[in-house]
Amino acid sequence: SRSGYESASKDFVPADLEVQVPGRAFLITGGNSGIGKVTATEIAKRGGTVHLVCRDPGRAEGAKGEIIRESGNQWPVSVLLPWKQPLPTESRSPAFERLDVTGNIFLHIVDLSDPKRIWKFVENFKQEHKLNVLINNAGCMVNERELTEDGLEKNFATNTLGVYILTTALIPVLEKEHDPRVITVSSGGMLVQKLNTHDLQSERTAFNGTMVYAQNKRQQVVLTERWAQMHPAIHFSSMHPGWADTPAVRLSMPGFHARLGDRLRSAAQGADTVLWLALSSAVTTQPSGLFFQDRKPVPTHLPFAGTSSSPAEEDKLIEILEQLAQRFK
């Protein structure tokens, strides 16, 4: 809650975020609102190159303008790149997408529930850009079971498979750079879930959107731990932003939002640990693969909850995700 943040922040080291990062490139999914937008704005203020990956062109354009105004970045350039899906009407061309660069801000339109589009995006991205920090912030909580055009359950497609493809596809790009990092915005809700590889797309049980989301967030934490073992050159972390007042929470959990009211954290408070993980040199003194809240590593399991998974179960998760990823490549 907000009071939890206010209490924890008394121990923060202000200098950790008093940094400038010109020359470092950050890719933020879901950067058009809430925690992602705050994170993008604060990185832009510090001179970082920001790549916004968003699904909705109209909302993304509006958010980009706000980030420009708040961060002070302003010298627009337009670049045409081959793409299938055009941006809004004024940008349309039969064979190209306009990639707007304003200062150090790039906008990419990608639906993270579409694995084929993620693969295509990464192919284009790695030919044009470098990357130091990937921030997996975008999330999806659909409360009724819904399938994508590819027949994938939408929460799983966005929160788990999309994160898996984007991260693993960008690992070779990250490994080329100094101090590469991957931060995944998970949720404390995952503490009530044990990894379940037998029903990843919610086909065998009654559908509960909140619990499906929590299971996806558990999967993200498991993936972060395994990636840290597999790729020691990159610093991986996952985190819980606390219960923050964001558009996503208002839309997906209206009852929860109404009950907590002003006890919810602000989006800026929710983004604080994301920024700290992305920017602070203190982060690299921590082992890779940990789960953070309020700038401190915290346990990934509650006492006696029985939510730990075996190496075999975790191997199975990666095996299934890799098979699905390759199917859509």
Side-chain angles (χ1 to χ4, degrees):
S1 67
R2 181 183 291 267
S3 62
Y5 173 84
E6 290 169 350
S7 175
S9 65
K10 294 174 184 177
D11 296 324
F12 290 175
V13 178
D16 281 355
L17 291 183
E18 293 172 358
V19 296
Q20 294 296 313
V21 287
R24 283 181 68 78
F26 302 76
L27 190 154
I28 306 166
T29 65
N32 61 283
S33 67
I35 289 170
K37 183 180 168 189
V38 170
T39 301
T41 303
E42 293 301 317
I43 290 172
K45 286 179 180 177
R46 291 163 171 80
T49 297
V50 175
H51 294 272
L52 300 170
V53 173
C54 306
R55 180 180 59 84
D56 184 278
R59 291 174 60 197
E61 288 279 5
K64 185 192 70 174
E66 292 175 19
I67 292 167
I68 291 164
R69 289 191 291 274
E70 291 181 40
S71 67
N73 254 319
Q74 201 160 13
W75 42 274
V77 178
S78 288
V79 181
L80 289 177
L81 293 177
W83 204 247
K84 293 180 181 178
Q85 179 180 330
L87 286 173
T89 305
E90 68 271 13
S91 308
R92 286 181 181 169
S93 167
F96 292 90
E97 172 193 34
R98 191 187 73 202
L99 178 64
D100 284 334
V101 187
T102 309
N104 293 322
I105 301 173
F106 294 71
L107 177 59
H108 312 269
I109 305 302
V110 186
D111 185 342
L112 292 174
S113 72
D114 184 340
K116 294 188 292 293
R117 188 165 292 280
I118 298 172
W119 280 117
K120 181 66 175 176
F121 161 69
V122 173
E123 276 302 306
N124 288 335
F125 183 90
K126 68 184 183 182
Q127 293 174 25
E128 301 287 335
H129 306 287
K130 73 167 200 170
L131 183 64
N132 297 92
V133 181
L134 167 62
I135 301 173
N136 290 311
N137 165 73
C140 172
M141 186 192 292
V142 177
N143 289 311
E144 300 290 335
R145 191 169 189 273
E146 179 182 333
L147 299 183
T148 69
E149 291 183 1
D150 296 305
L152 301 167
E153 191 277 314
K154 193 162 187 177
N155 293 296
F156 167 79
T158 306
N159 301 328
T160 302
L161 183 60
V163 167
Y164 178 83
I165 294 175
L166 184 65
T167 303
T168 55
L170 286 171
I171 281 172
V173 183
L174 288 158
E175 287 179 331
K176 295 176 182 178
E177 303 302 330
H178 172 68
D179 187 17
R181 306 181 188 187
V182 175
I183 299 128
T184 299
V185 179
S186 182
S187 168
M190 67 95 191
L191 292 167
V192 304
Q193 288 285 313
K194 180 186 188 301
L195 177 65
N196 176 11
T197 60
H198 301 293
D199 192 21
L200 288 176
Q201 299 197 57
S202 313
E203 299 169 284
R204 300 183 179 92
T205 55
F207 190 86
N208 180 317
T210 303
M211 289 300 103
V212 168
Y213 178 82
Q215 173 65 207
N216 295 160
K217 293 299 173 177
R218 168 62 71 187
Q219 292 158 6
Q220 290 178 351
V221 169
V222 169
L223 287 172
T224 296
E225 293 169 344
R226 295 302 293 264
W227 284 330
Q229 297 169 14
M230 297 161 63
H231 306 284
I234 301 172
H235 192 279
F236 290 87
S237 55
S238 56
M239 59 80 68
H240 173 33
W243 307 121
D245 188 355
T246 65
V249 170
R250 290 196 292 274
L251 178 65
S252 300
M253 304 174 69
F256 173 83
H257 182 270
R259 285 195 301 275
L260 265 71
D262 60 7
R263 288 179 290 167
L264 290 167
R265 298 180 179 206
S266 67
Q269 291 170 337
D272 177 83
T273 296
V274 184
L275 281 166
W276 183 79
L277 289 167
L279 298 173
S280 174
S281 59
V283 171
T284 55
T285 65
Q286 299 279 0
S288 182
L290 298 182
F291 179 64
F292 289 82
Q293 182 176 342
D294 292 329
R295 304 193 192 184
K296 292 182 178 180
V298 294
T300 57
H301 302 280
L302 296 172
F304 312 113
T307 52
S308 296
S309 49
S310 68
E313 289 171 314
E314 296 173 5
D315 288 343
K316 186 65 175 176
L317 172 66
I318 292 175
E319 178 187 341
I320 294 170
L321 293 176
E322 183 62 20
Q323 289 174 352
L324 281 170
Q326 292 303 318
R327 182 197 302 176
F328 294 107
K329 189 172 183 180

